[in-house]
Amino acid sequence: MPNTPSPEGELLRPIDLQGPNPDAQAPSLFTAHLLPSDQPAWLSMLVAALTNATNGIVISANVKGRPIVYCNPAFEQLTGYTRSEIVGHNCRFLQGEGTDPEAIHQMRTAFDAGAATELVVLNYKKSGMPFWNALNIGPIHNAQGTLTHFIGVQTDVTERIDLQKQLEQRAFTDVLTGLPNRAQFMHELERELGLVDRQGHLALGFVDLDDFKSVNDTYGHKAGDELLIQVAARLRGVVRGADLVARLAGDEFVLLLRQTASRDVLEQIGSRTLDTFQRPFVLDAATVTVHASLGFVQHVAGEHAAALLERADHCMYAAKHQGKNSFVTD
């Protein structure tokens, strides 16, 4: 539990950091323990450090509402708010609809416990523009050990977060079609299998194009790539909004079908998928008709991801062997 703060009126006064007498004699740079005579010069230096810091810095009073009593120029520049709009208000004015509730809970918990914390949170500038804020919060105690203030050091890390998201997206996205790749699909499948007992049944569809190689051989790999892009778009239109379409490799696609409890539903999705391949594909080099062989399976209790995918693959090959342009369910 935090210590009892000093009288509220004292803490709510905005901190005036104009600094003491600049002519005071400066202490040694190697002073281990400040003497009373050193403090004015050190205070002047600390004021200058806060004022010139490139990180946004705020100090909040440990009273009801925890209002800001000081902000440095970098915080004004970071947020777009002026000092008069900041001082006296809680820092929550930076929060918005995209701010993670877990991050807000983490901050409140740290404040209530009088503890330090670090987090990265989505905040909003005065203009409404979002930015990722790396926030470091620390408690400040007076000479008697009473918790009187909190200091928050804030850094805009939007570029770093955006780059991180781009790298993650590239790692889990098929570059050609924009669909989730095999790694992302397996991650989603494992997650769904962990939830299947609570959220219902799960099914899988395996899609393999018939005679895709002939398109590459006849019209070139560029035409083959165009075909795969169009196939991906059509498969998106076949499944429901909660389902997932992914490209495993080459001309192999997979459908993750959530909340699919009956064989009849699989038959319907199988028929819709075959139907979407009946229309010709218009490529730059030619107009081609390409069909697909499909395998559909329902998850059974205790079945792991690799086994489920293997069963769907076997059903797809069974469709190939029975003449292609068809589907087999299990």
Side-chain angles (χ1 to χ4, degrees):
M1 295 293 294
N3 293 310
T4 303
S6 299
E8 185 168 327
E10 176 183 346
L11 292 175
L12 282 174
R13 287 203 306 270
I15 297 177
D16 184 4
L17 295 183
Q18 298 302 314
N21 183 2
D23 297 326
Q25 184 176 359
S28 167
L29 293 178
F30 302 100
T31 302
H33 300 285
L34 295 180
L35 300 174
S37 59
D38 296 330
Q39 292 181 9
W42 273 101
L43 179 58
S44 179
M45 183 192 69
L46 293 175
V47 169
L50 288 172
T51 301
N52 292 284
T54 56
N55 300 95
I57 298 174
V58 295
I59 298 175
S60 300
N62 185 35
V63 295
K64 182 178 180 180
R66 297 193 178 93
I68 296 170
V69 294
Y70 168 76
C71 69
N72 70 345
F75 184 78
E76 294 180 89
Q77 184 175 3
L78 172 66
T79 65
Y81 291 93
T82 64
R83 183 175 184 272
S84 62
E85 295 172 311
I86 296 168
V87 171
H89 299 279
N90 185 285
C91 226
R92 69 173 65 93
F93 63 79
L94 295 179
Q95 298 169 11
E97 61 180 1
T99 305
D100 185 3
E102 286 297 321
I104 296 173
H105 176 72
Q106 180 180 340
M107 286 187 283
R108 287 177 179 170
T109 300
F111 282 131
D112 292 342
T117 191
E118 295 182 4
L119 69 156
V120 176
V121 60
L122 185 66
N123 282 155
Y124 294 83
K125 300 175 184 287
K126 182 179 179 180
S127 64
M129 180 182 298
F131 71 99
W132 287 99
N133 189 3
L135 178 59
N136 183 304
I137 299 171
I140 302 174
H141 298 81
N142 64 16
Q144 290 73 42
T146 301
L147 176 60
T148 60
H149 298 81
F150 288 91
I151 184 169
V153 181
Q154 315 198 28
T155 307
D156 187 342
V157 293
T158 303
E159 289 187 7
R160 189 190 79 192
I161 298 297
D162 287 347
L163 177 60
Q164 179 180 331
K165 288 184 175 182
Q166 290 174 17
L167 293 175
E168 290 175 353
Q169 184 176 15
R170 291 174 187 173
F172 294 106
T173 302
D174 177 59
V175 176
L176 177 64
T177 64
L179 294 176
N181 62 12
R182 185 186 188 93
Q184 179 65 15
F185 165 74
M186 294 304 293
H187 173 77
E188 289 291 329
L189 179 56
E190 293 282 3
R191 189 180 72 86
E192 288 298 321
L193 290 177
L195 299 173
V196 71
D197 290 338
R198 297 199 311 262
Q199 297 189 357
H201 298 273
L202 180 72
L204 214 61
F206 203 109
V207 181
D208 187 88
L209 302 187
D210 296 333
D211 303 319
F212 173 70
K213 184 175 182 296
S214 65
V215 175
N216 275 335
D217 292 345
T218 304
Y219 303 108
H221 289 283
K222 182 176 181 295
D225 288 347
E226 290 180 54
L227 174 60
L228 293 174
I229 293 171
Q230 292 187 32
V231 167
R234 291 194 188 184
L235 290 176
R236 284 194 189 101
V238 167
V239 300
R240 302 158 300 181
D243 299 329
L244 176 73
V245 180
R247 182 187 178 202
L248 292 187
D251 61 333
E252 295 180 339
F253 297 83
V254 68
L255 314 178
L256 178 59
L257 307 171
R258 299 177 171 96
Q259 298 292 326
T260 304
S262 72
R263 189 183 183 92
D264 290 341
V265 174
L266 291 184
E267 297 277 348
Q268 293 170 10
I269 296 175
S271 296
R272 288 207 308 266
T273 306
L274 288 183
D275 287 345
T276 199
F277 284 94
Q278 303 312 306
R279 292 183 288 111
F281 292 88
V282 180
L283 312 178
D284 285 344
T287 297
V288 299
T289 299
V290 176
H291 299 297
S293 297
L294 320 173
F296 289 91
V297 296
Q298 286 181 285
H299 173 258
V300 296
E303 188 174 30
H304 56 77
L308 182 62
L309 183 60
E310 185 176 3
R311 278 206 299 127
D313 189 29
H314 286 167
C315 285
M316 181 274 295
Y317 274 108
K320 291 275 190 190
H321 293 319
Q322 71 180 25
K324 302 180 180 180
N325 189 27
S326 63
F327 67 88
V328 171
T329 60
D330 181 13

